[in-house]
Amino acid sequence: MSSTPDSAVRTYIEGHSAAFLDDLAEWLRIPSVWADPAHADDTRRSAAWLAEALTATGFPVAEVWPTGENGEGAPAVFAEWPSGTPGAPTVLVYGHHDVQPAAREDGWHTDPFEPVLTDGRLHARGAADDKGQVFFHTLGVRAHLAATGRTAPAVNLKLLVEGEEESGSPNFPALLKTHADRLACDVVIVSDTGMWAEDTPTVCTGLRGLVECEITLHGPDQDIHSGAYGGAVPNPATEAARLVAALHDDDRRVTLPGFYDGITELTDEERRLIAELPFDEDRWLRAAHSHAALGESGYSTLERVWARPTAEVNGITGGYGGPGGKTIVPASARLKLSFRLVAGQDPDRIQALVRDWVADRLPAGIRHETVFTGATRPCLTPIDHPALRSLVTAMGRAFGQKIRFTREGGSGPAADLQDVLGAPVLFLGISVPSDGWHAPNEKVETGLLLKGAEAAAHLWEELGSTGTHATGRPAA
Amino acid sequence: MSSTPDSAVRTYIEGHSAAFLDDLAEWLRIPSVWADPAHADDTRRSAAWLAEALTATGFPVAEVWPTGENGEGAPAVFAEWPSGTPGAPTVLVYGHHDVQPAAREDGWHTDPFEPVLTDGRLHARGAADDKGQVFFHTLGVRAHLAATGRTAPAVNLKLLVEGEEESGSPNFPALLKTHADRLACDVVIVSDTGMWAEDTPTVCTGLRGLVECEITLHGPDQDIHSGAYGGAVPNPATEAARLVAALHDDDRRVTLPGFYDGITELTDEERRLIAELPFDEDRWLRAAHSHAALGESGYSTLERVWARPTAEVNGITGGYGGPGGKTIVPASARLKLSFRLVAGQDPDRIQALVRDWVADRLPAGIRHETVFTGATRPCLTPIDHPALRSLVTAMGRAFGQKIRFTREGGSGPAADLQDVLGAPVLFLGISVPSDGWHAPNEKVETGLLLKGAEAAAHLWEELGSTGTHATGRPAA
């Protein structure tokens, strides 16, 4: 139920897009790579920058929140803008301001932290994941006010922007618990996902969970001569490779005993809906920069990335990697593994499985350490949830098209939000697969960023006009 | 048959040991890491330094020889000192002046290219492998002359010191062919091996061969998000690991079809001789800096490293190796593999096996390149060879102990010398397992270096006094 002409929102956004993109570029110049200790200060600077920008946007409250038991975590940013309208629902927008590591030599055409705007695309680490998608809310709420003539939003608007999402959000559940009172809300809007395609706007209904670990294997106390000793002592690089190879069987199913226990299998109806999407595997492969599909037998590509758990090697290092040869048995090898989880898989249980499995498979003479570096629960929002109607309406007004449903293969702390705050979680994201999340030359389509701002402006009006019952919350 | 008192040789060597070690240290300061293009000039400098040192020793001929079709290889050094005695046999000493890569951060306690002498040990990259063992010949020949009162050696003495041994000696066979006339000899003495232990002097009778390769696997054109795509496209790090894991079966036998075809199996007598050596596996493991023995089922540790072919991973790299996590499917992965060969295995045939095996095992969507970076034939000298008696006598005079026989698991171009020059190959080496070849903190026992010089001095006298028939060469 909308009362404001869509054109009022659009006109405001178009008129302010240049300044919006300039401000976003300034934020993108801060290399908030929290995973790399060398960028800890940059990540703190990123939080301070955002709090200032939210104050400038008009939020009466904008605070930097320390995280971790002793403030050793990355700072989060919290902002709040009360509606002033009695009975207005409370919405909490979630995003993150930390970004993936990026270095020019990884294959970037330009400096990853010097944004470049060409042909309607803004290239920079974090442009899509997730700074761009956080920042469109600053434009969206101002458009909402300008178009409605209000001085405060139609909803009680809260933002929580964390700084450890790319590191598995280790301090996020504790942060939510500590500030549960101030974060209390009727609905959570996660702005850290994407759409099916630029011409196929969609709403995401679920994310996979994530368990990450680093396994270090130690063999000889130092690199040793492969001629003098090779073939007679265990080689940690060989053992690391044997672990990786043993992760999957020939059907590319994960072999860890109990790994699939208790998972929510796809229903026939869900498989039908997924199969109906306009999926072009060649196009998907191009977006994936990949040259073939390969995965668990018996499932389609979309099913594999949306609804099936996986085991992936993110990094493997051991021995000599420099120019030429070096005939050694290396002293050590290291694996970085990640496991994507689906509904029904508990990260703690999976961590225990992985730990036991690794310990059981190594020969005498190989010491090992398994360190878990992050865990995120999977998350699935029912398609028939009442609050979803407001979001689909808002998206429909912004895009002028039918809105379809998807899931995402990636992970985020959405499940924590749902669990700790007891509120339903919706996803408002405008990124597209070609944006290159976690990859060199990450970009965002600026036209879609502005659509995201439009959708947000409409969403606050939609949710405000229908009241809290539209959020699916029972009346108090 | 010796005529000179052993003490004359020993007194000369002891009196000149300090200057000898100073000169060796100067050579060791030159980082002749030919495998690393950044050290190409250093390797050239190393060759020039050696030629000058040989001239200073008294060799009337000392030349730097370019290698490769257009001089692109590492320079070798040739020196010659004619006996002047009619009927004197001609001996060619072989060694190498290039060294393995070494960097302080690999675990060196001191700069690998700043030699440190403490407690009778000289620490530096190349101290044992092989500059120390080449350089003791400068002291040995001078001791031989001083003790015998000769002005030229009792043998026609030639030295050939190459610069690409650690890179698999790619240009060495061609070099031998080009200079076959000047290198013509009755016997080859290879000074690039070791002994059983400081208190158990031995003579080596064989080396394993070597095939080295680098396999690069390409998956996505760039690193991609493991959430968005993981589990649905091939991961080159996973495939690299699966290749490595498939190299060996559960009995740790190499699985490449045909790998063991035609090899010279150990005889019962050879197994008995090996089993009789005073082998202490715990001590061997300590020297190997390793914590367990592991290898091909059905063979002892010494049999595994001396007489069995192997497949080893020298390096594996793929994806993210920095601090923290990075949830990607990496664009590429790289393996550095080496295969040790035994008598009966032809490097060309093994290279073809490896190439085909890799190509057959990769799924669609993974491109690959297999580059062979070095190949060396295996080499085995019969224990009953007549020239061996002179060597064993010379070693016995230097060490005052029974000399036993061993093999070495390492590789060298000995087989090329035997094939191209048509001369028997003997091994005179004094390094011990604890010297740490190819490892951080490589060292040489200076006492053994001087024993090596003693043995060389005696050997020239032994071979000179018995004439060419002692070398096993038929009379012309």
Side-chain angles (χ1 to χ4, degrees), chain A residues 221 239 289 314 318 324 328, chain B residues 221 252 289 314 316 328 336:
Chain A
D221 295 330
E239 298 309 319
H289 299 275
N314 308 124
I328 53 166
Chain B
D221 294 331
R252 302 284 169 162
H289 299 275
N314 308 122
I316 182 168
I328 53 167
K336 289 177 193 277

Side-chain angles (χ1 to χ4, degrees), chain B residues 328-350:
Chain B
I328 53 167
V329 175
S332 65
R334 181 166 292 173
L335 293 174
K336 289 177 193 277
L337 302 183
S338 59
F339 299 85
R340 297 285 168 176
L341 312 183
V342 299
Q345 282 180 309
D346 176 61
D348 290 342
R349 192 180 65 86
I350 298 299

Side-chain angles (χ1 to χ4, degrees), chain B residues 85-89 156 464 467-468:
Chain B
T85 302
N156 298 302
T468 55

Side-chain angles (χ1 to χ4, degrees), chain A residues 194-271:
Chain A
M195 306 196 306
W196 179 257
E198 196 166 351
D199 59 2
T200 310
T202 52
V203 165
C204 168
T205 65
L207 303 180
R208 291 195 287 189
L210 178 65
V211 161
E212 285 182 273
C213 68
E214 190 174 272
I215 303 168
T216 308
L217 305 187
H218 303 277
D221 295 330
Q222 59 183 39
D223 293 349
I224 57 174
H225 192 291
S226 71
Y229 305 111
V233 295
N235 177 331
T238 301
E239 298 309 319
R242 289 169 79 100
L243 279 181
V244 169
L247 277 175
H248 299 91
D249 65 17
D250 287 343
D251 288 329
R252 301 282 169 163
R253 274 177 70 86
V254 178
T255 60
L256 274 65
F259 184 71
Y260 294 96
D261 287 359
I263 72 170
T264 307
E265 298 283 351
L266 282 164
T267 63
D268 289 347
E269 173 67 6
E270 285 169 321
R271 299 190 81 166

